[in-house]
Amino acid sequence: MLKILGINLLVFVIYGLLIILNTSMANMGFSIAIGMGLCIFIQVMLNVVVGIVLLIMGRRELVKSFFISAAVLVPVGFVTWLILLSIYG
């Protein structure tokens, strides 16, 4: 369970850094608002879909991991998104 959560948080940090480092200062607020918000949404939805597919397949242990990862990514992603918007927006 911790491996899946750790990988999800690592992916979140990587695309957050890529958005911040590859955007000019003039477009930083827009890139964070749209790009990072969309990436967070897609990652959470992918975790939910994978969790549902694994639930249908009968793998209960992995289902909990993906649902917990989605539940952790929502507040962490939203708070990080707000903080970055207040800094760079």
Side-chain angles (χ1 to χ4, degrees), residues 1-10 61 65 68-69:
M1 178 164 67
L2 290 177
K3 277 172 83 172
I4 294 173
L5 181 61
I7 290 170
N8 274 301
L9 290 175
L10 182 66
E61 236 178 75
S65 299
I68 289 172
S69 291

Side-chain angles (χ1 to χ4, degrees), residues 8 12 15 19 32-49 69-70 73-78 81:
N8 274 301
F12 170 72
Y15 68 70
I19 289 172
I32 290 173
I34 302 300
M36 194 156 177
L38 189 62
C39 287
I40 293 168
F41 176 76
I42 290 170
Q43 187 177 5
V44 169
M45 287 297 111
L46 281 174
N47 277 313
V48 170
V49 168
S69 291
L73 281 172
V74 170
V76 169
F78 182 70
W81 181 73

Side-chain angles (χ1 to χ4, degrees), residues 7 9 19 23 26-27 30 49 57 63-64 69 87:
I7 290 170
L9 290 175
I19 289 172
T23 307
N27 297 327
F30 180 76
V49 168
M57 291 173 55
V63 170
K64 285 177 19 180
S69 291
I87 292 171

